[in-house]
């Protein structure tokens, strides 16, 4: 068997093992193609400049992911539409998207609700430039290139996050400290450990998205102790 054939066999076995170990599905194709792509690239004798360009593109896209452990996740339009419908209110809401990426959530929400004020904050320069270009005509959309941790959450009615499990405990502490009682922290896919959400919005999309809704309580008591059952709203 050729070296490339062995690499393909290794990739197939790695993908199968990844699936059997219940790894997230997006890891499966990575295991499948990584080693074959590496062997193929060596055999093609590609110029070094291509690798440098690839590294530069990945750097612009993921930036400080190695530190934050928050990859680039994109919210689909179905999720944005369902959440906008659930939040429907005569009140002009101020919404913040933490880690807004290419603007998939912030721009879509701003287009759906022109009476709301939507802000997105993103640290990676690549996705930020794309979001600025896509959202250049949205008058009710503000996009900031910055680390969201120093950014105050005090003025927002709704804070939306599609991050990873790693920052959720710290984000909850930041939200409890800065957000007004009654305002909402909404996390796509990743619940806050030890805190029961007030609502779970179950979206009937391809990936069966779940939005965990936490209403900021008054005082210092944690609302939603472990063991309570959250109301599930299905769309």
């Amino acid at each position: 068997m050729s070296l490339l054939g062995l690499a393909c066999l290794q990739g197939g076995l790695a993908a199968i093992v990844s699936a059997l170990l219940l790894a997230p599905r997006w890891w499966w194709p990575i295991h499948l193609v990584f080693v074959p792509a590496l062997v193929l690239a060596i055999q093609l004798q590609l110029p070094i400049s291509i690798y440098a360009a690839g590294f530069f593109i990945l750097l612009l896209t993921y930036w400080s992911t190695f530190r934050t452990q928050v990859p680039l996740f994109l919210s689909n339009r179905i999720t944005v539409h369902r959440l906008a419908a659930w939040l429907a209110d005569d009140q002009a809401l101020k919404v913040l998207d933490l880690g807004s990426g290419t603007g998939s959530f912030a721009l879509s929400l701003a287009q759906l609700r022109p009476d709301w004020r939507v802000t997105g904050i993103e640290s990676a320069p690549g996705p930020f430039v794309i979001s600025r270009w896509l959202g250049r005509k949205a008058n009710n959309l503000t996009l900031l290139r910055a680390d969201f941790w120093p950014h105050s959450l005090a003025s927002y009615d709704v804070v939306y996050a599609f991050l990873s499990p790693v920052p959720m405990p710290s984000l909850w502490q930041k939200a409890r400290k800065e957000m007004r009682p009654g305002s909402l922290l909404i996390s796509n896919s990743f619940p806050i450990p030890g805190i029961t959400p007030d609502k779970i919005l179950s979206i009937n999309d391809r990936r069966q998205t779940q939005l965990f809704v936490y209403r900021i309580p008054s005082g210092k008591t944690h609302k939603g102790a472990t063991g309570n059952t959250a109301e599930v709203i299905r769309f």
Side-chain angles (χ1 to χ4, degrees):
M1 186 178 293
S2 67
L3 181 60
L4 182 58
L6 287 172
C8 291
L9 177 61
Q10 187 277 339
L13 291 175
I16 292 172
V17 171
S18 178
L20 292 176
L21 293 176
L22 302 180
R25 290 192 176 187
W26 54 273
W27 270 108
W28 302 357
I30 294 177
H31 286 298
L32 181 64
V33 305
F34 181 79
V35 174
L38 184 63
V39 171
L40 186 61
I42 293 173
Q43 291 180 346
L44 291 175
Q45 297 183 343
L46 299 175
I48 295 177
S49 58
I50 291 182
Y51 297 104
F55 172 78
F56 186 67
I57 291 172
L58 291 174
L59 177 64
L60 292 178
T61 302
Y62 295 102
W63 203 243
S64 59
T65 298
F66 70 93
R67 175 175 57 83
T68 63
Q69 299 185 54
V70 177
L72 177 63
F73 289 126
L74 304 179
S75 302
N76 60 55
R77 286 186 173 273
I78 296 176
T79 298
V80 182
H81 277 256
R82 298 293 187 270
L83 180 58
W86 183 76
L87 287 171
D89 197 313
D90 293 333
Q91 177 187 2
L93 297 179
K94 294 184 66 176
V95 183
L96 174 65
D97 180 13
L98 299 178
S100 53
T102 59
S104 58
F105 175 83
L107 177 57
S108 296
L109 187 64
Q111 292 172 337
L112 284 171
R113 294 303 306 255
D115 55 323
W116 293 358
R117 188 76 231 172
V118 182
T119 301
I121 184 167
E122 172 60 46
S123 62
F128 174 75
V129 169
I130 294 173
S131 67
R132 283 293 297 267
W133 171 256
L134 294 175
R136 64 191 183 280
K137 295 182 179 180
N139 295 325
N140 62 326
L141 175 64
T142 301
L143 295 170
L144 307 172
R145 182 176 174 260
D147 181 356
F148 67 75
W149 289 110
H151 188 81
S152 174
L153 309 180
S155 64
Y156 300 99
D157 304 298
V158 178
V159 173
Y160 174 86
F162 192 2
L163 302 175
S164 80
V166 176
M168 296 313 298
S170 297
L171 178 58
W172 175 244
Q173 295 302 321
K174 177 177 174 64
R176 287 290 314 280
K177 180 180 178 181
E178 297 177 359
M179 295 181 70
R180 300 186 305 272
S183 54
L184 299 178
L185 173 63
I186 302 176
S187 175
N188 187 324
S189 302
F190 306 112
I192 298 169
I195 305 297
T196 301
D198 291 81
K199 312 279 186 185
I200 298 176
L201 309 184
S202 182
I203 311 298
N204 187 25
D205 60 357
R206 185 174 59 84
R207 60 183 296 271
Q208 297 298 301
T209 299
Q210 286 190 316
L211 302 179
F212 299 91
V213 181
Y214 301 87
R215 187 174 297 277
I216 304 301
S218 58
K220 297 183 178 181
T221 58
H222 284 263
K223 184 177 181 180
T226 303
N228 292 353
T229 302
E231 178 186 0
V232 179
I233 302 174
R234 303 186 184 278
F235 291 93

